[in-house]
Amino acid sequence: MGNSALKAHLETAQKTGVFQLTGKGLTEFPEDLQKLASNLRTIDLSNNKIDLLPPLIGKFSFLKSLALNNNKLTALPEELCKLKKLETLHLNGNHLRQLPAAFGQLSALKTLSLSGNQLRTVPTQLSGLRHLDVVDLSKNQIQNVPDSVGELQAIELNLNQNQISQISVQISHCPRLKVLRLEENCLELSMLPQSILSDSQISLLAVEGNLFEIKKLRELEGYDKYMERFTATKKKFA
């Protein structure tokens, strides 16, 4: 992509606060963007070949939305965690194995999409994010859900298409969790904490495609309580 085209995009971004350059085969984050560090609210560099997010990302202190779906990122810089206004972060389809240690400092974050990466567990850093609404960790390599999940503030947690065989009973304590997606994992029915049914806020539990028949779930103690929440929620949105 030529410099003149990039320049045109930069000029537009200066006026709109939005920089979008997708599917252009970019191999690196455009350094010229830092000239607009105080202007930009939205950056979308999805469907490129970017393998490194440079530390200068920390300068974009007014950024509300960052999308780098379908790139080649293997890690994220700690500087990303300085973005105190960031509400939406989309990093689907990369090669991420973990999140920066200070990720919990992204205090405004509401939506986090990390589908199709190489995470092996639910990152403990997520438990520090007080405004998190939706977390998508589908299509990773997660094998267990640790105790720290009990602190998670999210309303929806998507763990579809992982390799989960163990879930901490603490998941029942998530104060706002309404939707839990666990489709196509490696769960035996005995490994699904019954408190999810009998004693949680969860009103939509999706568990198709595991190592048990759905009708067996209906026989568990607490299923009636779950169905009460499920039906009440359905009525509310009908």
Side-chain angles (χ1 to χ4, degrees):
M1 196 183 122
N3 274 343
S4 55
L6 182 59
K7 205 173 166 196
H9 276 279
L10 287 168
E11 282 170 9
T12 308
Q14 192 160 9
K15 294 175 192 138
T16 62
V18 177
F19 185 84
Q20 186 176 28
L21 201 56
T22 58
K24 297 289 186 205
L26 291 183
T27 54
E28 50 187 48
F29 187 90
E31 291 222 340
D32 283 350
L33 270 186
Q34 58 186 322
K35 296 173 188 165
L36 302 179
S38 56
N39 292 53
L40 290 182
R41 304 293 184 269
T42 300
I43 295 176
D44 186 354
L45 292 165
S46 297
N47 304 316
N48 282 295
K49 295 173 181 170
I50 298 167
D51 59 1
L52 191 71
L53 192 56
L56 63 84
I57 192 66
K59 295 180 181 177
F60 293 84
S61 44
F62 296 98
L63 203 62
K64 284 193 160 186
S65 173
L66 177 60
L68 283 153
N69 296 325
N70 304 318
N71 276 281
K72 296 180 182 289
L73 298 173
T74 54
L76 300 169
E78 289 289 341
E79 287 79 2
L80 175 70
C81 309
K82 292 179 181 172
L83 304 181
K84 298 286 186 253
K85 292 195 178 343
L86 194 67
E87 294 178 7
T88 309
L89 181 58
H90 291 293
L91 295 164
N92 301 325
N94 281 283
H95 308 290
L96 300 169
R97 289 170 184 267
Q98 55 190 37
L99 298 179
F103 198 82
Q105 291 174 16
L106 290 170
S107 48
L109 202 61
K110 291 179 181 175
T111 304
L112 175 63
S113 298
L114 287 162
S115 180
N117 278 281
Q118 293 168 18
L119 299 173
R120 291 181 175 268
T121 186
V122 176
T124 52
Q125 298 94 312
L126 302 186
S127 301
L129 298 167
R130 297 339 254 165
H131 299 286
L132 211 50
D133 289 335
V134 179
V135 183
D136 186 354
L137 300 174
S138 61
K139 299 180 185 171
N140 276 278
Q141 296 162 14
I142 298 170
Q143 293 171 5
N144 65 356
V145 179
D147 288 348
S148 59
V149 76
E151 304 282 317
L152 193 68
Q153 298 290 321
I155 297 169
E156 176 169 347
L157 176 59
N158 186 343
L159 291 164
N160 289 348
Q161 291 178 285
N162 277 284
Q163 299 155 18
I164 297 168
S165 59
Q166 282 188 310
I167 299 180
S168 167
V169 69
Q170 295 297 325
I171 200 160
S172 331
H173 299 160
C174 293
R176 299 175 24 179
L177 191 62
K178 298 275 192 280
V179 178
L180 177 59
R181 301 188 187 278
L182 286 162
E183 293 180 40
E184 294 181 49
N185 276 285
C186 307
L187 281 168
E188 300 276 1
L189 191 55
S190 59
M191 286 294 159
L192 192 71
Q194 291 200 11
S195 52
I196 288 177
L197 298 172
S198 60
D199 193 25
S200 79
Q201 301 290 321
I202 295 164
S203 56
L204 178 61
L205 175 65
V207 287
E208 285 77 9
N210 278 283
L211 307 179
F212 58 86
E213 293 175 48
I214 294 297
K215 63 179 185 201
K216 293 273 193 263
L217 180 71
R218 297 179 192 136
E219 293 163 13
L220 289 184
E221 203 178 324
Y223 188 78
D224 294 349
K225 275 189 167 175
Y226 162 68
M227 280 313 292
E228 282 172 23
R229 296 192 302 271
F230 177 81
T231 312
T233 304
K234 245 184 150 173
K235 279 185 182 149
K236 208 161 77 179
F237 290 109

